[in-house]
Amino acid sequence: MKNNAKWLICQMLVAMMVAGQYVQAQTSTPVPRIIRKGNHHTLEVDGKPFFMLGGQVGNSSNWPSMLPGVWDTMKTMHANTLEIPIYWEEVEPVQGSYDFSSVQRILDQARENKVRLILLWFATWKNGSNHYMPEWMKKDSKQYYNVTSIKGTPVDSPSPHAKATMEADAKAFREFMAYLKEKDPQHTVIMVQVENEPGTWGSIRDYGKEAQKLFAQQVPSEVFTTSVCKELGVDKNAKGSWAQVFGERADEYFHAWHVAKYINYVAQAGKEVNPLPLFVNVALRDPLTNPTADNYESGGATDNVISLWKAAAPCIDMVSPDIYLRGDETVLKVIDLYARDDNALMVPETGSANSKYLYKVIEKGIGFSPFGVDKRRQALGNATRDALSYEYELLDPMNQELARWAAEGRIQTVIEPEDHSEQHISLGEWEAIIIFGGGRGNNSAQSAERAANGKAMIIRLSDNEFLGIGTNCRFTFNTAGKNKGRAWQYLKVKEGKWENGEFKMSRILNGDETDWGGPQVGEIPNLLHFTLVAR
């Protein structure tokens, strides 16, 4: 099939999913989908908005002896979604013979534990290498070959130009997705990740014979979309080889294009039989300095080639950043770069220290998940709860509302900056003032040694009514807009939790709880309901 025909098929499949016209004969619930309303994407599960409060387990946790600990972890985390690998080497131990017992096992146990699943297809790529390929492929390096470096030496990374590898992966992925369609009519599985951090370490691209031939050819016309031309700074009428069109970045763009085309081929094979949302996770580069590809995993959907990936892989619904970078400026930049008009933001992996950014991802995205949660909690011990488990316990009962409010533009969030300075949120006729740390009054005691880990979320319910969620902060307000300069006070401040779609009050805060710079929340997050009045 020609590339243009494949392109059109993927576009049609994606459009049918978004319009809700792709109906599976044997499904009992709607197919999960990612929709866009206004300037925000929403994940729908069972036909309702859903925010994924997830946890991704370690790479080797999908084995029978490990799973009891996985479910214990999900329970103590209060997570609503488990991200867990499916290993190609286990699914197809003999060429053409498929064993999906590991898939069925995780389906059955997820249903018993009332947890949704995102399955991670560990196949051609896992963090740039091919270590999850079946043994029969690893033994045939001539047919299923790897990247060749510019010096002619072998690189421990699969070549995106190895057609036999691509076809084998696509065939196995198609069988896997068909199995899910048959065995999971209730859509326990809400999404599937295709490969894992695809790309190459140790070489900017493949310099083997086939790759060199393609590199010297004219850049395909399908590269020159409006988005690609704008983001890469090329003329839509440009012609010539990759080097002629893209200059010093040609190697990097060439590799990204072909890795994306390969993965689109695999994704299309699966989506043709089961239109679940598909995504690819990304090993990031520094988003602030525009480094060259010899400094990061070349070929993945890094921030500088997202548009190229979108053009090459229309069957991939989103590219998703694995955020292990540190520092507010860097992480917030990544969040902004991947929350695009053409890309829903989901963080499928992050370090435990980055839970500070959970609220920001709720505001702008569809899901959040730290990595290695089972191993981390085993290290903590069963009696210990970490901060994220308290967050998930508070937020999960309201995950549908959070997804809906975010789509409606009702959520605004702030994080505590490194200098601990107060942050302001504009709310029309009101302004929320978030003061971080402990102490009383607007001059909260600060310490240069204290970690800047506070955060706050304000949800506008009506003109004078708001929900506040936060940690290590105080909430106070001031008049703005047409009320600017008027005196104000809390009409009522309630503390409580979310149950069955509504706020349930546990107590009313007043006196000392509201008079000294506003209600304070400590390390454990809290849900507050504010009603304000201008006098």
Side-chain angles (χ1 to χ4, degrees):
M1 186 182 294
K2 293 183 178 180
N3 287 338
N4 286 343
K6 290 182 180 180
W7 185 275
L8 289 173
I9 288 172
C10 282
Q11 287 185 319
M12 290 171 62
L13 286 169
V14 172
M16 291 166 71
M17 288 173 59
V18 171
Q21 297 170 351
Y22 196 113
V23 180
Q24 295 290 327
Q26 298 181 5
T27 56
S28 58
T29 61
V31 178
R33 61 177 187 161
I34 300 167
I35 62 172
R36 181 174 175 80
K37 292 182 179 179
N39 62 354
H40 194 280
H41 292 87
T42 302
L43 171 63
E44 286 191 351
V45 175
D46 296 337
K48 301 174 183 177
F50 183 88
F51 187 87
M52 186 270 283
L53 298 166
Q56 183 174 152
V57 295
N59 293 166
S60 301
S61 293
N62 191 4
W63 294 98
S65 62
M66 302 297 294
L67 286 175
V70 167
W71 302 120
D72 288 344
T73 295
M74 291 295 101
K75 183 177 180 180
T76 59
M77 277 186 70
H78 298 273
N80 60 29
T81 306
L82 168 67
E83 295 183 6
I84 191 166
I86 301 296
Y87 314 123
W88 187 9
E89 62 182 350
E90 185 183 12
V91 164
E92 194 181 4
V94 177
Q95 186 173 9
S97 179
Y98 300 99
D99 178 1
F100 292 111
S101 58
S102 61
V103 178
Q104 191 60 53
R105 180 173 61 241
I106 200 70
L107 287 174
D108 292 341
Q109 294 187 22
R111 291 165 190 158
E112 291 172 7
N113 287 277
K114 297 180 174 57
V115 172
R116 296 285 185 168
L117 292 172
I118 293 177
L119 299 183
L120 317 176
W121 180 243
F122 280 16
T124 297
W125 279 276
K126 165 64 175 75
N127 295 50
S129 298
N130 62 0
H131 299 167
Y132 283 86
M133 283 183 182
E135 290 184 10
W136 52 270
M137 296 181 73
K138 293 175 182 176
K139 293 176 179 178
D140 187 353
S141 60
K142 184 175 182 180
Q143 186 171 196
Y144 310 110
Y145 57 87
N146 279 2
V147 164
T148 298
S149 77
I150 195 170
K151 296 179 180 180
T153 56
V155 177
D156 185 23
S157 183
S159 171
H161 310 292
K163 185 177 180 181
T165 312
M166 181 178 72
E167 290 178 345
D169 193 340
K171 184 179 179 182
F173 188 68
R174 182 184 183 93
E175 294 292 329
F176 163 62
M177 293 292 283
Y179 186 88
L180 290 180
K181 178 184 176 183
E182 178 185 357
K183 301 296 185 180
D184 188 31
Q186 58 268 67
H187 296 108
T188 308
V189 178
I190 60 175
M191 275 191 278
V192 173
Q193 177 184 291
V194 189
E195 316 301 341
N196 189 87
E197 294 188 358
T200 301
W201 294 100
S203 182
I204 296 178
R205 67 171 175 90
D206 187 1
Y207 294 88
K209 184 177 180 180
E210 178 64 21
Q212 291 295 81
K213 180 180 177 181
L214 291 170
F215 187 74
Q217 292 177 2
Q218 184 164 293
V219 177
S221 59
E222 61 190 301
V223 170
F224 298 104
T225 67
T226 300
S227 180
V228 170
C229 291
K230 180 180 179 180
E231 293 185 21
L232 301 187
V234 296
D235 189 282
K236 66 178 181 180
N237 298 313
K239 295 185 183 299
S241 69
W242 286 85
Q244 289 170 333
V245 172
F246 293 112
E248 63 181 10
R249 292 279 183 169
D251 288 339
E252 176 183 358
Y253 295 163
F254 172 80
H255 196 49
W257 177 261
H258 284 283
V259 171
K261 292 288 286 184
Y262 180 116
I263 291 177
N264 189 69
Y265 185 90
V266 175
Q268 180 183 330
K271 188 161 279 191
E272 285 175 347
V273 296
N274 187 353
L276 284 171
L278 303 178
F279 71 98
V280 170
N281 63 332
V282 185
L284 300 177
R285 69 176 199 151
D286 183 345
L288 304 176
T289 61
N290 193 29
T292 54
D294 52 341
N295 291 282
Y296 56 90
E297 187 180 23
S298 179
T302 48
D303 64 88
N304 57 324
V305 292
I306 295 176
S307 61
L308 202 61
W309 261 79
K310 290 289 179 181
C315 288
I316 294 297
D317 295 280
M318 59 184 176
V319 293
S320 303
D322 289 351
I323 303 181
Y324 294 101
L325 300 174
R326 303 293 293 273
D328 293 344
E329 183 182 8
T330 300
V331 174
L332 294 176
K333 182 67 173 179
V334 168
I335 288 171
D336 285 341
L337 286 168
Y338 284 85
R340 297 164 45 116
D341 289 345
D342 61 355
N343 194 72
L345 170 69
M346 184 177 77
V347 180
E349 291 186 36
T350 190
S352 58
N354 284 342
S355 60
K356 172 182 181 179
Y357 307 102
L358 169 62
Y359 296 177
K360 188 61 67 176
V361 176
I362 290 174
E363 177 187 355
K364 294 177 175 287
I366 66 172
F368 181 92
S369 177
F371 172 74
V373 293
D374 51 338
K375 292 182 178 179
R376 187 154 59 247
R377 277 165 175 72
Q378 288 167 11
L380 289 172
N382 293 332
T384 304
R385 291 185 65 180
D386 69 358
L388 193 63
S389 69
Y390 290 105
E391 299 278 8
Y392 280 11
E393 183 178 18
L394 178 71
L395 296 170
D396 186 45
M398 57 196 307
N399 85 80
Q400 288 185 14
E401 286 79 10
L402 289 171
R404 176 170 57 81
W405 289 328
E408 294 171 352
R410 294 178 178 272
I411 296 178
Q412 295 187 66
T413 64
V414 293
I415 61 169
E416 180 178 5
E418 300 298 330
D419 64 0
H420 310 290
S421 59
E422 68 183 35
Q423 300 293 295
H424 295 231
I425 298 174
S426 178
L427 300 167
E429 309 308 320
W430 297 95
E431 179 185 52
I433 303 170
I434 311 301
I435 304 165
F436 298 100
R440 286 186 167 190
N442 292 337
N443 297 313
S444 297
Q446 304 295 350
S447 169
E449 298 179 357
R450 183 179 63 80
N453 57 9
K455 57 188 180 298
M457 178 191 308
I458 296 285
I459 302 159
R460 180 177 57 81
L461 300 180
S462 65
D463 288 346
N464 302 306
E465 184 182 8
F466 307 93
L467 293 177
I469 304 171
T471 59
N472 291 319
C473 68
R474 285 185 180 273
F475 293 86
T476 189
F477 295 84
N478 208 345
T479 51
K482 65 182 181 181
N483 287 333
K484 187 174 179 62
R486 294 175 63 185
W488 74 277
Q489 68 182 78
Y490 301 107
L491 194 62
K492 191 163 289 185
V493 180
K494 303 174 185 176
E495 182 181 82
K497 57 185 178 179
W498 201 261
E499 285 185 358
N500 301 319
E502 61 181 2
F503 180 83
K504 296 289 187 182
M505 184 189 77
S506 58
R507 63 173 177 165
I508 294 175
L509 301 181
N510 210 331
D512 288 346
E513 287 81 25
T514 60
D515 290 346
W516 296 91
Q520 182 178 15
V521 182
E523 292 285 345
I524 297 175
N526 207 351
L527 176 62
L528 303 173
H529 182 285
F530 300 99
T531 309
L532 309 177
V533 61
R535 304 192 61 176

